[in-house]
Amino acid sequence: MKRESFFAILQQPFKKAPFMQPYLRNFWKNILNFNWKFGLFLILIVCVPRFIMVLHANQYADYRFIGLIMLLSFIVPFMFLNKKGMKAIGWNRPKSYTWLCIAFISGCLYAYLLFLLGKSLYQDSYQNWYVYIANSYKIPSDLTIEAKRQMFLIMAGTGMLFSPFGEELYFRGIVHETFVSKFGNRGASIIDSSAFALTHIAHFGLVYLQGGWHFLFIPALIWCLSMYFVSRLFYFFKVKSGAIWGAIICHAAFNLSMIYCIFYQL
């Protein structure tokens, strides 16, 4: 069998589709193949720039473009998918609101347990993932109680909106679905969760400290595995709720709990 080069694989999502692409908008149907190669292309065009932007933001405390990449992640499914495609990724009414409540509680608990793990292993050092992330928030030490509460509400509000919607529609949505036909839902979940986890090494693991970059191997490994398993948790609640909302709500609850720990537990 002739082996395909990496660049040949990247080109294949753009070859004329030999059959109807039922999930794609009409504009894309004769241009793209909705398959795992298209999924790989999506990962590369979004995750790689995002990784670089987050590293830049951590180094220069310039977070202007992070919101844009989250917005792009949110828009991508709507750009490529038709109504049937959006329904296939779970953009529909939930079938179980009970599971949405369980998803919220589970997301909060997961983030708090991750806080306890970091605290027990690394105390208040920069090897603690929450401590490093907290540093990016630039929380003044002399804030009044009311000012701190207001800042918390702003951070929590944005944290519960931007990344849960953008990342879940992207990772657990369109990226996941591109891999299903070849690898099944379980395999697709492993792939989208791995991409999610590796992307988050830019948030913690590869850190900028004292004017230089450092890779904290063991803390990064723990953090990466934690992000992988929370991604699988997001997907679990997508399935149980019958909609992408299960993943979004679990993710939003995780962010809320994480931000609460950063503001009031560190």
Side-chain angles (χ1 to χ4, degrees), residues 243-254:
I244 197 72
W245 291 100
I248 291 171
I249 286 177
C250 189
H251 194 152
F254 175 90

Side-chain angles (χ1 to χ4, degrees), residues 90-104:
W91 187 248
N92 52 262
R93 185 188 298 272
K95 296 178 181 178
S96 172
Y97 290 92
T98 300
W99 278 106
L100 294 184
C101 296
I102 298 172
F104 184 87

Side-chain angles (χ1 to χ4, degrees), residues 2-263:
K2 185 178 179 180
R3 298 184 65 181
E4 297 175 295
S5 71
F6 177 74
F7 292 104
I9 289 174
L10 286 186
Q11 291 171 357
Q12 287 193 21
F14 297 97
K15 291 182 178 180
K16 187 174 181 179
F19 55 88
M20 181 66 73
Q21 300 290 340
Y23 293 163
L24 293 173
R25 289 182 177 275
N26 289 333
F27 177 81
W28 304 108
K29 284 182 178 180
N30 292 321
I31 302 173
L32 299 173
N33 284 313
F34 191 81
N35 57 21
W36 69 270
K37 295 170 184 178
F38 178 50
L40 176 60
F41 172 77
L42 289 177
I43 290 172
L44 291 175
I45 64 168
V46 173
C47 293
V48 173
R50 169 182 165 162
F51 195 95
I52 295 170
M53 288 178 186
V54 172
L55 292 181
H56 179 273
N58 290 340
Q59 181 175 0
Y60 297 104
D62 182 1
Y63 297 90
R64 291 175 297 173
F65 300 108
I66 304 303
L68 291 177
I69 202 70
M70 292 300 177
L71 180 61
L72 175 62
S73 300
F74 176 79
I75 291 174
V76 162
F78 295 95
M79 284 176 53
F80 289 104
L81 301 180
N82 57 24
K83 187 176 181 179
K84 185 176 181 179
M86 291 302 297
K87 186 175 181 180
I89 70 172
W91 187 248
N92 52 262
R93 185 188 298 272
K95 296 178 181 178
S96 172
Y97 290 92
T98 300
W99 278 106
L100 294 184
C101 296
I102 298 172
F104 184 87
I105 294 169
S106 299
C108 288
L109 287 175
Y110 192 103
Y112 191 71
L113 290 174
L114 189 56
F115 161 74
L116 293 178
L117 179 63
K119 192 75 171 177
S120 64
L121 291 176
Y122 301 112
Q123 291 76 47
D124 294 324
S125 72
Y126 278 107
Q127 291 180 307
N128 181 338
W129 32 89
Y130 280 10
V131 170
Y132 181 77
I133 294 171
N135 184 61
S136 69
Y137 287 7
K138 307 296 182 185
I139 305 171
S141 58
D142 58 348
L143 277 180
T144 64
I145 294 176
E146 182 59 30
K148 188 172 184 178
R149 182 184 298 114
Q150 290 177 358
M151 187 175 181
F152 164 73
L153 291 174
I154 292 171
M155 298 297 292
T158 55
M160 293 176 72
L161 287 174
F162 282 93
S163 60
F165 276 91
E167 291 182 327
E168 294 314 311
L169 279 165
Y170 175 74
F171 285 105
R172 251 63 60 192
I174 188 170
V175 169
H176 175 93
E177 199 62 33
T178 60
F179 290 98
V180 169
S181 61
K182 185 173 182 64
F183 300 101
N185 276 304
R186 184 174 181 272
S189 179
I190 290 171
I191 294 169
D192 73 62
S193 297
S194 298
F196 180 90
L198 291 172
T199 300
H200 278 72
I201 292 177
H203 294 266
F204 175 81
L206 184 57
V207 300
Y208 188 77
L209 296 171
Q210 299 176 342
W213 289 101
H214 307 273
F215 184 66
L216 309 177
F217 180 74
I218 298 300
L221 180 61
I222 297 171
W223 170 254
C224 192
L225 288 173
S226 299
M227 292 299 98
Y228 171 81
F229 286 114
V230 81
S231 299
R232 297 300 302 275
L233 188 68
F234 297 156
Y235 175 69
F236 173 81
F237 285 114
K238 174 190 172 184
V239 173
K240 287 296 183 180
S241 67
I244 197 72
W245 291 100
I248 291 171
I249 286 177
C250 189
H251 194 152
F254 175 90
N255 285 1
L256 172 64
S257 184
M258 179 186 72
I259 294 168
Y260 175 82
C261 290
I262 286 172
F263 269 82

